[in-house]
Amino acid sequence: MKTALPESFDIDAFVAAILAEDLGTIGDITSAAVIPADARFTGVMDSRDPIVVAGLDLAEAFFRALDPDVRIERLVLDGQQVTAGTELMRLEGAGRAMLTAERSALNTVQHLSGIATMTRAYVDAIAGTGAILLDTRKTIPGLRVLEKYATRMGGAQNHRMGLWDAAMIKDNHVAVAGGVAEAVRRAKVAGIAQIIVEVDRIDQIEPALAAGATHLLLDNMPPAMLREAVALVAGRVPTEASGGVNLDTIRAIAESGVTYVSVGRLTQSAPAADIGLDFATAE
């Protein structure tokens, strides 16, 4: 199926693995015992709270995996902000298949929509500051591609999909290398083009820049220190504020003039969105 998810993501493999986890070796014994084999259901998936939607492609894929002939009407798009009570999707198909796919579909859409919804709140909180919201690698193992997709649906920009796409020199690297400048020098010698350096003191900035840092992560700095750091960098490289960021603090952080603000809680702590799926016997 055509999907807005990254081309590299194998949606069929994901759906098969999640369904296998739920079905075990003998399948949905409750539906097999209670629901007639020829029963047909209609269903409506709807939001119970205001949310930003994410994951409908996956929900559809779960239902189609168990009933290729299911009829699905998509009523909203991923990334769309909807009010409580909005219908997201209507379905009609084999009753047993729909019941069996229900939890996997809902779990996925609730989780991803929860991330997208929290992300949009952070994006709205820094509107007009010029700062760009970034996500992080603080994702549930195995779900990074999906969770970062959800942050994009909420309006954030993806940052570092893994350990392979940029050097990230942090305090432990600096300690072992013997200093910021030496750590950056080693990264340059290794031929790494993008070198992000975490600094938590003003006096680390010039040595990092002189050695060739291409991006500075300003870690756990209060707004006044961030402003000082931004002034010192003077646009030579992008600056990123990180650490201690929440909805109460992000506006002041963004107003310091940093290029980016990264927020781990977008993927680490977002609550699931309240989304329901109600079925009825098809006439």
Side-chain angles (χ1 to χ4, degrees):
M1 62 179 288
K2 187 177 180 181
T3 173
L5 290 161
E7 291 183 5
S8 60
F9 181 74
D10 190 335
I11 192 169
D12 293 331
F14 174 79
V15 167
I18 301 307
L19 288 175
E21 178 182 65
D22 221 16
L23 292 170
T25 57
I26 59 176
D28 180 358
I29 59 175
T30 309
S31 294
V34 176
I35 306 300
D38 60 353
R40 291 187 63 78
F41 285 0
T42 59
V44 176
M45 181 184 293
D46 65 350
S47 62
R48 307 294 166 85
D49 288 322
I51 64 168
V52 175
V53 180
L56 292 183
D57 285 340
L58 290 158
E60 181 173 337
F62 280 113
F63 292 111
R64 292 200 184 283
L66 297 181
D67 179 6
D69 298 321
V70 64
R71 293 166 53 190
I72 296 177
E73 181 183 7
R74 198 89 65 86
L75 302 173
V76 301
L77 299 173
D78 274 14
Q80 189 170 333
Q81 196 160 15
V82 302
T83 58
T86 299
E87 292 187 356
L88 310 179
M89 177 185 291
R90 295 195 190 108
L91 311 95
E92 181 177 344
R96 287 182 179 178
M98 292 174 73
L99 286 172
T100 299
E102 174 189 15
R103 180 44 52 198
S104 295
L106 277 178
N107 283 351
T108 304
V109 177
Q110 288 173 333
H111 180 56
L112 298 186
S113 296
I115 291 171
T117 302
M118 177 182 276
T119 301
R120 185 66 57 85
Y122 277 81
V123 169
D124 290 346
I126 62 174
T129 65
I132 296 169
L133 184 69
L134 300 179
D135 56 21
T136 72
R137 288 172 45 244
K138 294 178 181 178
T139 54
I140 294 175
L143 295 184
R144 179 167 296 164
V145 170
L146 293 182
E147 293 182 338
K148 282 181 171 278
Y149 167 77
T151 65
R152 290 201 308 277
M153 293 301 98
Q157 182 174 307
N158 289 156
H159 184 46
R160 294 191 77 217
M161 293 300 294
L163 292 168
W164 47 266
D165 54 2
M168 171 71 87
I169 295 173
K170 304 190 79 172
D171 53 357
N172 287 325
H173 303 105
V174 170
V176 172
V180 168
E182 176 60 17
V184 175
R185 187 194 69 78
R186 293 182 187 183
K188 286 181 68 67
V189 168
I192 300 172
Q194 286 186 282
I195 303 174
I196 304 167
V197 181
E198 177 187 85
V199 298
D200 54 17
R201 303 192 317 269
I202 297 295
D203 64 0
Q204 294 174 310
I205 291 175
E206 283 299 345
L209 293 178
T214 62
H215 179 125
L216 290 182
L217 189 154
L218 309 173
D219 186 46
N220 281 299
M221 292 186 179
M225 187 182 294
L226 287 171
R227 287 192 292 272
E228 182 181 355
V230 168
L232 181 59
V233 173
R236 286 177 284 175
V237 299
T239 53
E240 172 190 346
S242 181
V245 184
N246 56 47
L247 280 175
D248 294 327
T249 62
I250 192 170
R251 182 79 189 185
I253 290 170
E255 288 175 340
S256 69
V258 292
T259 316
Y260 304 107
V261 183
S262 57
V263 181
R265 69 182 63 234
L266 300 179
T267 49
Q268 189 182 50
S269 307
D274 191 356
I275 296 171
L277 179 53
D278 296 316
F279 292 121
T281 303
E283 296 181 359

